[in-house]
């Protein structure tokens, strides 16, 4: 049966969006060139109509200019249609790229989430965290207690120092007074009458 009808031909792969957009872009550029050449032709007819002296020649030039103008408008409409198609293809391409980026983002977030869970289970021991928190509380309480004791000791020491200094001063003053009296007494005794 293959000999009679032949083998089915393999289908060509559909064109990619980039290739289709490039082809449409080339068509738009070609149409722009045609429109520009028609505009130049219209300018030429306009100049010729200004220089033409007979009304019959002006009508003939005007008729040709109208034909050129119709062709120019037709190319402009075709260009706008092709540009719209190119825009639609670019939008579709952008949508596909956005979807791929979203898929990659979701995959990366899933991987990060599983890694985080694994790390939390493997490396973070809740009992150790609780022990550290309890140890911190105990350390804080010990530090408060030590601070209170240190302040009490300092107060006692400063009171003791103050009392010792006052008693030493008082004793010194008393002894100075005592020596002063002794000296005065000796001076009075040695003084000639």
């Amino acid at each position: 049966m293959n000999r009679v009808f032949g083998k089915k031909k393999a289908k060509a792969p559909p064109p990619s969006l980039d290739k289709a957009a490039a082809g449409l872009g080339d068509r738009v550029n070609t149409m722009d060139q045609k429109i520009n050449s028609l505009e130049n032709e219209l300018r030429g007819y306009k100049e010729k109509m200004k220089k033409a002296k007979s009304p019959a020649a002006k009508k003939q030039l005007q008729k040709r200019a109208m034909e050129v103008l119709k062709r120019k408008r037709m190319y402009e409409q075709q260009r706008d249609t092709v540009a719209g198609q190119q825009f639609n293809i670019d939008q579709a391409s952008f949508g596909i790229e956005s979807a791929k980026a979203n898929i990659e983002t979701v995959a990366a977030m899933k991987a990060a989430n599983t890694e985080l869970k694994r790390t939390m289970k493997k490396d973070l021991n809740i009992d150790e965290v609780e022990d550290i928190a309890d140890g911190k509380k105990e350390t804080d309480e010990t530090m408060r207690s030590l601070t209170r004791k240190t302040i009490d000791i300092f107060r006692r020491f400063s009171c003791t120092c103050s009392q010792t200094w006052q008693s030493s001063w008082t004793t010194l003053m008393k002894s100075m007074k005592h020596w002063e009296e002794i000296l005065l007494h000796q001076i009075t005794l040695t003084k000639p009458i």
Side-chain angles (χ1 to χ4, degrees):
M1 189 151 173
N2 285 337
R3 282 190 253 169
V4 175
F5 296 108
K7 286 188 176 182
K8 190 175 185 180
K9 292 183 179 179
K11 289 184 179 179
S16 68
L17 288 177
D18 294 333
K19 190 174 181 180
L24 290 175
D26 291 342
R27 283 181 58 194
V28 168
N29 290 338
T30 303
M31 287 183 194
D32 280 336
Q33 290 173 355
K34 287 180 181 179
I35 290 169
N36 288 336
S37 69
L38 291 174
E39 283 178 2
N40 290 335
E41 193 174 335
L42 280 173
R43 279 191 214 105
Y45 283 130
K46 192 175 183 182
E47 291 295 321
K48 286 179 183 177
M49 284 188 337
K50 284 181 185 177
K51 293 178 184 176
K53 295 184 180 179
S54 71
K58 277 187 181 182
K59 278 193 174 193
Q60 186 68 21
L61 290 171
Q62 198 173 23
K63 186 178 177 185
R64 288 183 190 166
M66 289 301 290
E67 289 174 6
V68 171
L69 186 61
K70 285 180 185 177
R71 279 191 291 160
K72 178 185 167 206
R73 286 184 182 158
M74 180 190 69
Y75 282 130
E76 286 174 343
Q77 286 176 346
Q78 288 177 356
R79 179 194 61 194
D80 293 343
T81 303
V82 172
Q85 291 172 348
Q86 184 180 14
F87 176 75
N88 290 339
I89 288 176
D90 289 342
Q91 286 293 91
S93 177
F94 178 74
I96 290 170
E97 289 173 9
S98 295
K100 286 179 182 178
N102 288 340
I103 289 169
E104 289 175 2
T105 302
V106 169
M109 290 174 73
K110 282 182 182 178
N113 192 21
T114 55
E115 179 69 24
L116 178 64
K117 286 179 182 177
R118 191 181 82 230
T119 302
M120 291 291 283
K121 286 180 182 178
K122 180 182 173 186
D123 295 339
L124 186 66
N125 188 350
I126 299 298
D127 294 334
E128 289 178 5
V129 173
E130 289 175 354
D131 291 344
I132 290 170
D134 291 341
K136 186 178 180 311
K137 285 180 185 176
E138 290 173 8
T139 304
D140 288 346
E141 289 172 10
T142 304
M143 289 303 291
R144 281 191 209 111
S145 173
L146 284 173
T147 303
R148 280 189 228 112
K149 287 179 182 177
T150 304
I151 290 171
D152 288 343
I153 290 170
F154 180 74
R155 283 184 185 153
R156 284 190 210 136
F157 178 73
S158 67
C159 287
T160 304
C161 285
S162 177
Q163 289 170 355
T164 304
W165 182 80
Q166 284 177 348
S167 67
S168 297
W169 180 258
T170 307
T171 307
L172 180 65
M173 292 311 260
K174 283 180 184 177
S175 68
M176 282 180 66
K177 202 168 203 180
H178 177 70
W179 283 107
E180 194 176 288
E181 288 174 2
I182 292 175
L183 280 174
L184 277 174
H185 186 356
Q186 282 183 357
I187 291 176
T188 50
L189 289 177
T190 56
K191 202 178 191 183
I193 305 184

